[in-house]
Amino acid sequence: MTQALPPCALPRLYSQTDHDDRGNFHYDGDLYRPGEALPALCTRIEGHLHGLITGARFTSRGERYTGGRKVTVELLDTPADLTEESERRAFTTMVRDQIERFGFTRSNFYQDYLQFAFHSDVQIGKAYWSALAARRGKANEVEPLVSLAAFKRRIKPADCLKLIAAPDGHRALGTTRTIKAVRSSDLIFEGNVYLDFPRAAGFACDGRRVRIAIGNEHEPDRHLLYEWLPTER
């Protein structure tokens, strides 16, 4: 839920700005600071969103590319149910409007001209779908006795993971795979099959079972459930 501002305090928003009859688009964000470094910009955007949207959690990252900069804001959780496409679209538009207040845009579609402070991208992260599934009630719930960080330290090459529950039609259901390598962001099974680690909120392990959330807007509780079979050591 957003906090209401008095009408006189409402800034002009990016989505409310139109091109003129010559194709010019001119938007100046009221929170723009010339020359601001990307880390400081991301910190300000996160703080602004957390203060504006009650109960929401975001993370952001900035990157440079040829010709510009990009700020990606990922939603980790919010009380709102975003399973409906119209709700997601309205939410991401609202968030992007707030991000654009930290920048500026000049463009003309007739002249193929574009200048901006940064490109913005709003993503609904898997962590959000995991949090929504938890509020609704998870299937195959696993008690989180082993943290993701501890799991990465404890699992070793030659250990096995057996897939005991998965979305309908998953070809690997019932398959036991041997771990070839453990990296910071994923596991590599023999045969060069990769298993990405989720964010901590999407991971649960009780020492025997491992639950990895892979939810989306169609199936918030979509997940993989493994049985961990350590080698003797």
Side-chain angles (χ1 to χ4, degrees):
M1 180 181 296
T2 57
Q3 299 172 353
L5 296 172
C8 62
L10 289 173
R12 183 167 62 99
L13 299 176
Y14 184 88
S15 65
Q16 299 168 342
T17 306
D18 295 322
H19 291 81
D20 65 20
D21 56 1
R22 295 184 177 181
N24 294 303
F25 182 88
H26 187 138
Y27 179 79
D28 285 309
D30 59 305
L31 302 176
Y32 172 60
R33 292 179 183 174
E36 185 170 24
L38 272 173
L41 175 62
C42 290
T43 297
R44 278 211 303 139
I45 290 173
E46 280 188 40
H48 175 73
L49 292 174
H50 290 149
L52 186 71
I53 307 172
T54 303
R57 293 190 299 112
F58 296 88
T59 186
S60 64
R61 64 182 183 275
E63 56 187 296
R64 294 183 177 276
Y65 61 94
T66 302
R69 307 191 300 173
K70 180 178 180 180
V71 173
T72 301
V73 172
E74 181 179 349
L75 173 68
L76 302 180
D77 195 12
T78 185
D81 187 333
L82 303 179
T83 50
E84 292 292 332
E85 183 179 355
S86 60
E87 294 293 330
R88 287 198 307 278
R89 188 164 51 246
F91 185 87
T92 55
T93 296
M94 180 269 293
V95 172
R96 190 185 181 201
D97 273 341
Q98 295 303 316
I99 297 170
E100 294 293 343
R101 291 175 64 189
F102 292 79
F104 71 86
T105 300
R106 309 275 190 278
S107 70
N108 185 293
F109 57 76
Y110 293 129
Q111 300 175 5
D112 194 24
Y113 169 74
L114 175 63
Q115 182 182 19
F116 53 88
F118 57 85
H119 174 70
S120 64
D121 183 28
V122 180
Q123 300 178 354
I124 310 295
K126 288 183 179 179
Y128 165 76
W129 301 114
S130 178
L132 178 62
R135 286 192 289 272
R136 292 178 170 183
K138 292 181 179 180
N140 297 318
E141 191 159 8
V142 172
E143 191 172 0
L145 301 180
V146 180
S147 69
L148 177 58
F151 177 76
K152 290 179 183 180
R153 292 194 299 268
R154 289 170 53 178
I155 197 165
K156 303 294 182 185
D159 286 0
C160 295
L161 289 178
K162 180 180 180 180
L163 186 61
I164 57 177
D168 290 343
H170 199 291
R171 292 181 298 177
L173 184 60
T175 300
T176 300
R177 287 189 166 123
T178 301
I179 295 169
K180 178 180 176 182
V182 182
R183 305 191 299 187
S184 60
S185 60
D186 58 20
L187 294 173
I188 305 177
F189 293 113
E190 289 184 350
N192 291 329
V193 177
Y194 295 80
L195 175 64
D196 292 331
F197 290 125
R199 290 185 179 274
F203 177 89
C205 177
D206 60 10
R208 184 181 69 85
R209 296 182 304 160
V210 179
R211 190 184 193 279
I212 294 177
I214 55 171
N216 54 41
E217 63 271 26
H218 306 296
E219 297 178 78
D221 194 33
R222 187 179 178 90
H223 63 276
L224 302 173
L225 183 68
Y226 289 93
E227 182 180 4
W228 182 8
L229 306 170
T231 56
E232 293 185 7
R233 40 181 184 262

